[in-house]
Amino acid sequence: MNAERAAEFITEPRTVRVPARAPRWVVPLVKTLLAFTDLALATLSFATAFYLRNHEAMFRRTAQGNLTWVSEFAPYAALLPLVIPIRLLLLRYYDLYRLRGEFSLVDDMARVFKATAIGSLLIVAAAFMYRGGIAYRTFSYSRGIFLFDFLLALVSIGAVRMILRTGQIVMRRRGVNLIPTLIVGRGTEALQFIREMRARPELGYRVIGLVENGQFDSGAPSYFEGVPVIGNLKSLPEAIRESGANEVIISDPSVPGEALFDVMIQTGRRRGVEFRIAPTLLNCLPSKTEIDQVGSLPMVTLFRSPLSSAARIVKRAADLIIATLALLILAPLWLLIALLIKLDSRGVVFY
């Protein structure tokens, strides 16, 4: 068995496995700290918006020496249990807690704007529907405070994302937070991918091995552009497991679509491995694809890795909250439509 493997593989896949430059808990810790930072910024933006609008302190001391809300801020304080989840869920919905792979500062700022803008609209809608509960049902909220809150949240959250991404660029140039990547096939496309990722480590990829499309030619060099050849397409699932690769780029346009999908099935989606494919292979694309770009190179992502259990819970919670708010906002319109149907036609409104 070992003799057969030595004949088949030029370089053992396990030898190209890159040891982690940081402990596994670092990325979850950074995401957690980022979420707590966003929570603090959402609270601070809302409180600062009140101060800028009214020029009044938000706290006062009671006769017992305890801090409490001033009466003017109390109706807004009652909204904080809605403001904070809406902000965090929208940021998660727009994938602003992702630290893996390539990113664009412009794209990040666009997603921050969408998350804060839609979040502010939902906060306004929730404020005027909920009105702080029974205690403040007759209170009239200031629209200026919501405008200031939007601007402050946009600037502060955007600034934090810029600082985070700048830190990622610095760390990636030092070899940290890079995705171990395999490339399938030799040729011009593979050469471009290797050179682009090597010249721009801030993209977040480290090419650790090359996989031949078909049987290895004994006359072919065992390295391609300094990258070791570790196997062929048939052995790709095993090469992924042994090398610890998290990304596979298909650069050879002659790769059979059936063989590619067999590899993906054998690899299993729960391993968190993403497959990207050169646009020249559009003839074998499934319907569930995503057009993407790595640096200046166009890519098509096949089957994004599935959401984790925590991510599914967050997504489900966001769906329920947004759907509930939409139902509440549109309820008067639906009641009006039901009334018009009842006045215009005989029988029940619902069929």
Side-chain angles (χ1 to χ4, degrees), residues 17 54 58 60 70 125 163 165 241 246 261 281 346:
R17 179 185 286 267
N54 295 338
M58 291 161 286
R60 66 177 177 83
V70 298
I163 294 171
R165 294 310 192 187
R241 289 191 295 271
N246 294 128
F261 294 126
L281 292 170
R346 295 181 179 180

Side-chain angles (χ1 to χ4, degrees), residues 188-264:
T188 304
E189 291 85 358
L191 187 63
Q192 289 178 336
F193 296 151
I194 294 171
R195 288 178 176 176
E196 180 86 3
M197 294 175 187
R198 188 174 288 160
R200 300 178 61 188
E202 63 270 16
L203 294 175
Y205 298 90
R206 177 190 283 115
V207 180
I208 61 173
L210 184 135
V211 176
E212 291 280 9
N213 177 25
Q215 293 297 323
F216 179 75
D217 184 358
S218 59
S222 58
Y223 281 78
F224 179 79
E225 192 65 18
V227 177
V229 179
I230 63 172
N232 56 25
L233 190 61
K234 184 178 180 180
S235 64
L236 180 54
E238 184 178 359
I240 291 171
R241 289 191 295 271
E242 293 190 4
S243 66
N246 294 128
E247 192 106 3
V248 178
I249 294 177
I250 314 297
S251 67
D252 191 341
S254 64
V255 172
E258 298 81 2
L260 175 58
F261 294 126
D262 285 344
V263 168
M264 288 190 288

Side-chain angles (χ1 to χ4, degrees), residues 77-89:
L79 294 178
L80 284 175
L82 294 176
V83 171
I84 294 173
I86 288 174
R87 289 283 184 219
L88 295 182
L89 288 173

Side-chain angles (χ1 to χ4, degrees), residues 109-146:
M109 292 305 102
R111 287 186 283 124
V112 167
F113 177 81
K114 291 178 183 178
T116 52
I118 295 175
S120 293
L121 291 175
L122 292 175
I123 290 169
V124 171
F128 287 94
M129 295 294 295
Y130 171 62
R131 290 197 171 277
I134 298 175
Y136 307 107
R137 62 181 181 275
T138 60
F139 182 79
S140 179
Y141 288 95
S142 169
R143 291 162 179 80
I145 290 178
F146 294 115

Side-chain angles (χ1 to χ4, degrees), residues 47-58 70 72-73 76 139 142 144-145 148:
T48 306
F50 172 83
Y51 178 78
L52 292 176
R53 175 65 178 80
N54 295 338
H55 301 286
E56 295 181 4
M58 291 161 286
V70 298
E72 291 80 4
F73 184 68
Y76 295 95
F139 182 79
S142 169
I145 290 178
F148 279 128

